[in-house]
Amino acid sequence: MAGTNHGLQKGGRLLRLLKALFLLVLVAALGAAGAGWWWLHHPLTLAQSPLDLDIEPGTLPRGVAEAVRKAGVDVEPRLLFAWFRLSGQGKQIRAGSYELTTGITPERLLDKLARGEESLRAVTLVEGWNIRQVRAALGKGDALRQDSAKLSDEDLMKLLGRPGVHPEGRFFPDTYTYSKGSSDVAVLKRAMRAMDKRLTVAWNERRPGIVLKSPEEVLTLASIIEKETGKAADRTLISAVFQNRLRIGMPLQTDPTVIYGMGDAFTGNLHKADLQADTPWNTYVHLGLPPTPISMPGKASLLAAVQPAPGKYLYFVAKGDGTSQFSENLDDHNRAVNKYQRGQ
């Protein structure tokens, strides 16, 4: 019986020891889990904020963890790599340029990298700008790689796949976002495709009877409408004036084309001699549309070019408030000029 009791006591001690070990392991596991949860949700320390992180294509998760550390994040790469693997998202990390800011946690960092939430910049191309203004704006683009800076307009269009095409008016005015280090050529390609699409839509919505014979003519007239319009409501009326003039063989006589043809020689004021200068874009000297667009037209001007207002308007004069007075004959036009321009 004594041996039996001794065996029972020994078995009881072993059971208590196993329970104690189990509790210790459980506590340790809970502690580790708690520490892990705290680490995942605790903001990382950054060398500065914002901080740029570049992940090159083909970088493996372990390399990404190292890149995070080298970028200026105070984190143990092996711990970060372990999180990448345990989460199951390590292989979903996308290459790109990222911006990390104060407060980002390991959990949010991985989510950002897996979603490809790159830091985006933006450049805005404005309606009515010419190609010089477009290229100047791209030249000032934040973190935008200047691949076209030293190219002539001709070489630029070759690079864009449009050899022999004049660049004026070929890019749609809009705001374009891009990731850090993107090429200015890539932005221009997007803007060119956008203009192609808008021009096709406008051409397909043209009103029967318009005098314009091709999408190219639509683009050119729309660029003039863009420069002549002070108030949006006048666009279709201005389109009507120019199309009526084209229909009867009357010169367009629009100042913006003259100014465009003068280039850098334009000082801010037009003179009589300027209106007589024989440049290809001088619509006082040459009949018909100028040889190229003179600016980037927006969607509204493209549609106005193919959907002119009804009426026989041949003239318009600025009223001084941004709107214009439209007339069907020269006598009415002269009276409008006297009223609005000469104060009579």
Side-chain angles (χ1 to χ4, degrees), residues 17 49 57 75 105 110 165 183 193 198 226-227 248 275 282 312 325 331 334 341:
L17 178 61
S49 182
V75 66
T105 65
L110 177 56
V165 175
S183 171
R193 288 194 297 267
R198 295 287 188 179
E226 190 68 62
K227 299 297 288 184
I248 65 175
L275 301 181
N282 190 336
K312 299 179 180 180
Q325 178 67 41
D331 288 339
N334 286 334
Q341 297 289 306

Side-chain angles (χ1 to χ4, degrees), residues 9 32 36 74 103 114 120 126 132 169 173 195-196 208 234 296 301 311 324 326 333 341:
Q9 291 174 357
D74 185 13
L120 298 178
V126 180
R132 295 193 305 275
M195 181 57 84
D196 290 344
D234 287 346
M296 290 190 304
S301 291
S324 297
F326 295 84
H333 175 62
Q341 297 289 306

Side-chain angles (χ1 to χ4, degrees), residues 14-27:
L14 180 60
L15 182 60
R16 288 194 296 272
L17 178 61
L18 290 174
K19 287 183 177 179
L21 287 174
F22 174 77
L23 289 173
L24 285 174
V25 171
L26 180 60
V27 170

Side-chain angles (χ1 to χ4, degrees), residues 153-276:
D153 286 348
E154 292 77 13
D155 288 339
L156 173 61
M157 293 307 288
K158 287 180 183 178
L159 186 61
L160 292 173
R162 302 287 176 86
V165 175
H166 197 282
E168 199 64 75
R170 299 291 166 179
F171 309 101
F172 188 72
D174 203 347
T175 295
Y176 296 91
T177 58
Y178 58 89
S179 58
K180 178 186 175 184
S182 294
S183 171
D184 58 349
V185 175
V187 175
L188 284 172
K189 283 183 178 179
R190 289 168 56 199
M192 187 173 68
R193 288 194 297 267
M195 181 57 84
D196 290 344
K197 182 178 179 181
R198 295 287 188 179
L199 185 56
T200 298
V201 170
W203 180 247
N204 290 336
E205 295 182 6
R206 65 190 183 278
R207 186 166 292 159
I210 65 170
V211 299
L212 305 177
K213 298 298 189 293
S214 68
E216 292 299 307
E217 291 188 355
V218 170
L219 184 61
T220 300
L221 181 57
S223 74
I224 298 173
I225 294 171
E226 190 68 62
K227 299 297 288 184
E228 284 280 18
T229 301
K231 290 288 186 178
D234 287 346
R235 278 193 176 93
T236 58
L237 291 165
I238 292 172
S239 177
V241 168
F242 290 135
Q243 298 208 40
N244 289 334
R245 288 186 176 191
L246 288 170
R247 187 174 287 107
I248 65 175
M250 178 180 174
L252 294 184
Q253 295 183 326
T254 169
D255 292 351
T257 62
V258 178
I259 294 170
Y260 181 84
M262 293 174 66
D264 293 335
F266 180 64
T267 59
N269 293 302
L270 275 178
H271 304 283
K272 184 176 181 179
D274 299 327
L275 301 181
Q276 298 170 346

